[in-house]
Amino acid sequence: MYKYNMEELNKKTIDQLNKKGVQVQDIAKIVYELQKDYGEISLEECQDHVQAVLRKRETIHAVLTALAIDQVVDQKLFPEPIQSIIEEDEGLYGIDEVMSLAIVNLYGSIGLTNFGYLDKKKIGIIDQLDKRKGKEVTTFTDDIVAAIAAAAASRLAHKNKEGESK
Amino acid sequence: MYKYNMEELNKKTIDQLNKKGVQVQDIAKIVYELQKDYGEISLEECQDHVQAVLRKRETIHAVLTALAIDQVVDQKLFPEPIQSIIEEDEGLYGIDEVMSLAIVNLYGSIGLTNFGYLDKKKIGIIDQLDKRKGKEVTTFTDDIVAAIAAAAASRLAHKNKEGESK
Amino acid sequence: MYKYNMEELNKKTIDQLNKKGVQVQDIAKIVYELQKDYGEISLEECQDHVQAVLRKRETIHAVLTALAIDQVVDQKLFPEPIQSIIEEDEGLYGIDEVMSLAIVNLYGSIGLTNFGYLDKKKIGIIDQLDKRKGKEVTTFTDDIVAAIAAAAASRLAHKNKEGESK
Amino acid sequence: MYKYNMEELNKKTIDQLNKKGVQVQDIAKIVYELQKDYGEISLEECQDHVQAVLRKRETIHAVLTALAIDQVVDQKLFPEPIQSIIEEDEGLYGIDEVMSLAIVNLYGSIGLTNFGYLDKKKIGIIDQLDKRKGKEVTTFTDDIVAAIAAAAASRLAHKNKEGESK
């Protein structure tokens, strides 16, 4: 009944991020920025953690839903007034952040503070997505990318600690 | 810049719930079921609390987004594979529940447990929305209605306690 | 610097649950009750999922903190008024539920609704912990046990689905 | 049965924050820093919003629990290993952040991102509490202060927007 297996779903999720101009590498760079002061890490390691986050069913569901909303709002297919509210990324609209919690929460509380930080500081690709607003709807996309980065940073921190305590 | 004031937004939110076959009264009945064992309450009181929840900006944003998603998925406008996943309300799809947290969290932790309970027990209109699946997309709608009821029940519990402790 | 490795922490967590009269088996039985209608499962399988939840650092931290609070409140060591509020498990006190989210959130949104349901229905050991109130402080313990069960049920549902979709 | 009314509880909460070296004014200054770039605001206004947050039952419960935990850990009354984990504010211990969500969530999603930001940037009194670590346990206190500030900033943002849209 359910037509896709997890591998296909993971591939489709990365495809749709790419279509929106977001590469796994871009997200890995944010993870590197977040974690570089806490120990020796490589960009490859960061990329592996981003990939691991993107293989989780909950992440896949959140990313695909977020990108789909931005897409239909770009095509002006949502009814008013929510069409305008999302299109203009109205200051107090926070459903994009709430949806991101589906990813952030999976990796414990460090993910949460990293997400809050990224949402305010807008590093790398998050900043670029933010600047495209006006020409293109990125209301949900920028938050979901911040969530993936925050979750991957949290995963990395947990795994490194695990190694250390053995 | 922002075109609607809160009163208009509240009115539009109730309108769109009505269009989907959900009356404020239906939600009030669920609140009554949830709270009747904890003290003397009337259906009118429950309705007032539902109305108060529906006047909150965060509720309005969550309800309008949820209803809009169900609407465009009903029109088959979301890209695959997320179109099928939401259309069939796939068992492990939980973004609808996560979105509902935007409302539930506003009224403290009682809201949370009431929401979890309603999501499993499906009382009244929630059950009816659930049974319409197959003919109509109600994936986000049933959870958002459960969230409004859970939040209103939590608001009622807090207010009654406030009175008591004075 | 950090004195315990994960294996020791896991052992100590189970020890302290046992001291409070909670066996891994008791929690496995709740998982079984929650999931038995969704496919063929054994009690052993449920127990494995409970064990997996109890090996997570975030779970260990939450359980040890919850049990420690109940213990010091039992010894009347918290300052007033919070001593009385927790001791009597005052109706609107919800910090115990919020702390449980540290565990529940790790396994996606099904965990959340299962937790809300258990918090209201109080199956098996949760009911027994609830009934000990008055003689013994179990304010945080009953919620944390519900959280472990809800998380394990969610983990089981995800794993079974994974197998199915291959 | 429940011995305190909300006014008394509010007074006791502020008393205990003061005893820990935290003034309402200190928290108001953080709110001012967070919000000064989004419109004309005064420190008095910020203080009013902090006071409003501190009158909420959920806030009171979270603050009193957080301060009580730091107090008993300071007195070495928690059992090991959680005594050492909290005392040293171990890097991956996140139950303090989770508890703070009880406050942050009450004011919608802006509260969440402000909280994540403060948890990383440590402005004003939060920085001072952080620097006292080693001499005094402030593991839960610094996060709970960040949560109050984040919630008050979110409350202010919502109220100002409300005024604007009328």
Side-chain angles (χ1 to χ4, degrees), chain B:
Chain B
M1 197 166 92
Y2 187 64
K3 286 169 289 200
Y4 305 93
N5 66 36
M6 289 302 285
E7 212 174 299
E8 275 181 272
L9 282 175
N10 167 254
K11 220 179 138 305
K12 276 172 187 296
T13 302
I14 294 173
D15 279 356
Q16 302 208 359
L17 279 168
N18 294 349
K19 265 191 212 158
K20 192 74 186 175
V22 180
Q23 310 298 322
V24 169
Q25 178 90 356
D26 299 328
I27 310 180
K29 278 180 199 161
I30 305 173
V31 178
Y32 184 81
E33 283 306 310
L34 283 174
Q35 293 301 122
K36 66 179 179 190
D37 297 340
Y38 301 102
E40 207 154 314
I41 49 163
S42 68
L43 198 56
E44 282 66 40
E45 213 184 324
C46 295
Q47 204 157 329
D48 291 347
H49 287 287
V50 173
Q51 293 279 13
V53 170
L54 287 168
R55 274 193 296 273
K56 284 255 193 176
R57 187 187 299 271
E58 207 89 4
T59 308
I60 288 168
H61 286 165
V63 174
L64 292 177
T65 307
L67 294 174
I69 294 174
D70 276 355
Q71 182 181 314
V72 296
V73 172
D74 229 345
Q75 301 166 330
K76 313 228 182 254
L77 296 173
F78 259 14
E80 285 297 351
I82 200 65
Q83 168 70 34
S84 298
I85 293 172
I86 299 178
E87 198 177 328
E88 295 162 21
D89 202 356
E90 197 266 319
L92 291 171
Y93 185 75
I95 306 303
D96 41 352
E97 275 104 21
V98 172
M99 190 175 290
S100 301
L101 294 182
I103 300 173
V104 170
N105 281 335
L106 296 173
Y107 294 93
S109 42
I110 317 169
L112 191 77
T113 53
N114 278 333
F115 176 68
Y117 181 75
L118 286 177
D119 201 65
K120 261 190 124 62
K121 294 297 284 188
K122 303 191 189 305
I123 303 175
I125 183 74
I126 303 172
D127 184 48
Q128 290 168 38
L129 285 165
D130 192 56
K131 284 183 178 143
R132 283 203 241 147
K133 283 184 212 297
K135 277 166 279 179
E136 191 186 339
V137 177
T138 61
T139 303
F140 279 78
T141 306
D142 58 359
D143 282 311
I144 218 75
V145 167
I148 300 167
S154 173
R155 191 177 193 276
L156 186 153
H158 275 277
K159 293 289 165 190
N160 285 0
K161 190 80 193 177
E162 232 87 309
E164 199 182 291
S165 66
K166 264 176 202 160

Side-chain angles (χ1 to χ4, degrees), chain C residues 48-66:
Chain C
D48 291 347
H49 286 287
V50 173
Q51 294 279 12
V53 170
L54 287 168
R55 273 194 297 272
K56 283 256 194 176
R57 186 186 299 271
E58 207 90 3
T59 308
I60 288 169
H61 285 165
V63 174
L64 292 177
T65 307

Side-chain angles (χ1 to χ4, degrees), chain D residues 5 10 13 17 29-30 39 41 43 48-49 52 56-57 68 72 75 87 92 96 110 113 120 135-136 155:
Chain D
N5 66 35
N10 167 255
T13 303
L17 279 168
K29 279 181 196 159
I30 305 172
I41 49 163
L43 198 55
D48 291 347
H49 286 288
K56 283 255 193 176
R57 186 187 300 269
V72 296
Q75 300 166 331
E87 199 177 330
L92 291 172
D96 41 352
I110 316 170
T113 55
K120 261 190 124 63
K135 279 166 279 180
E136 191 187 338
R155 192 176 193 276

Side-chain angles (χ1 to χ4, degrees), chain B residues 120, chain C residues 27-38 41 113-115 117-118 123 146 149-154:
Chain B
K120 261 190 124 62
Chain C
I27 310 180
K29 279 181 198 159
I30 305 172
V31 178
Y32 184 82
E33 283 306 309
L34 282 173
Q35 292 302 121
K36 66 179 179 190
D37 297 341
Y38 300 102
I41 48 163
T113 54
N114 278 332
F115 175 68
Y117 181 74
L118 286 177
I123 302 176
S154 173

Side-chain angles (χ1 to χ4, degrees), chain D:
Chain D
M1 196 166 93
Y2 187 64
K3 288 170 289 204
Y4 306 93
N5 66 35
M6 289 303 284
E7 214 174 298
E8 275 181 89
L9 282 175
N10 167 255
K11 223 180 134 302
K12 277 172 188 296
T13 303
I14 294 173
D15 280 356
Q16 302 209 359
L17 279 168
N18 294 349
K19 267 193 211 155
K20 192 74 186 175
V22 179
Q23 310 299 322
V24 169
Q25 178 92 355
D26 299 329
I27 310 179
K29 279 181 196 159
I30 305 172
V31 178
Y32 184 81
E33 283 305 310
L34 283 173
Q35 292 302 121
K36 66 179 180 190
D37 298 341
Y38 301 101
E40 209 154 310
I41 49 163
S42 68
L43 198 55
E44 282 66 41
E45 212 184 326
C46 293
Q47 205 155 326
D48 291 347
H49 286 288
V50 173
Q51 293 280 13
V53 170
L54 287 169
R55 273 193 297 272
K56 283 255 193 176
R57 186 187 300 269
E58 206 90 4
T59 308
I60 288 168
H61 285 166
V63 174
L64 292 177
T65 307
L67 294 175
I69 294 175
D70 276 356
Q71 182 181 315
V72 296
V73 172
D74 228 345
Q75 300 166 331
K76 312 228 183 257
L77 297 172
F78 259 14
E80 287 294 354
I82 199 67
Q83 168 70 33
S84 298
I85 293 172
I86 299 178
E87 199 177 330
E88 294 162 20
D89 203 356
E90 198 264 319
L92 291 172
Y93 184 74
I95 307 304
D96 41 352
E97 275 105 20
V98 172
M99 190 176 290
S100 301
L101 294 183
I103 300 173
V104 170
N105 280 336
L106 295 173
Y107 294 93
S109 42
I110 316 170
L112 190 78
T113 55
N114 278 333
F115 176 68
Y117 180 74
L118 286 177
D119 201 65
K120 261 190 124 63
K121 294 296 283 187
K122 303 190 189 305
I123 302 175
I125 183 73
I126 302 171
D127 185 48
Q128 290 168 39
L129 285 165
D130 191 57
K131 284 183 178 142
R132 284 205 241 147
K133 284 185 212 295
K135 279 166 279 180
E136 191 187 338
V137 177
T138 61
T139 304
F140 279 78
T141 307
D142 58 358
D143 282 310
I144 217 76
V145 168
I148 301 167
S154 173
R155 192 176 193 276
L156 186 152
H158 274 277
K159 292 290 165 188
N160 285 0
K161 190 80 192 179
E162 233 87 307
E164 198 182 290
S165 65
K166 265 175 200 160

Side-chain angles (χ1 to χ4, degrees), chain A residues 2-4 9 16 57 61-62 65 68-69 71-72 77-78 80-82 84-85 90 92-93 95 98-99, chain B residues 2-4 9 16 57 61-62 65 68-69 72 77-82 84-85 90 92-93 95 98-99:
Chain A
Y2 188 63
K3 285 168 291 201
Y4 305 93
L9 282 174
Q16 301 208 0
R57 186 187 300 269
H61 286 164
T65 308
I69 294 175
Q71 182 180 315
V72 295
L77 297 173
F78 259 13
E80 286 296 354
I82 200 66
S84 298
I85 293 173
E90 198 265 318
L92 291 172
Y93 184 74
I95 307 304
V98 172
M99 190 176 290
Chain B
Y2 187 64
K3 286 169 289 200
Y4 305 93
L9 282 175
Q16 302 208 359
R57 187 187 299 271
H61 286 165
T65 307
I69 294 174
V72 296
L77 296 173
F78 259 14
E80 285 297 351
I82 200 65
S84 298
I85 293 172
E90 197 266 319
L92 291 171
Y93 185 75
I95 306 303
V98 172
M99 190 175 290

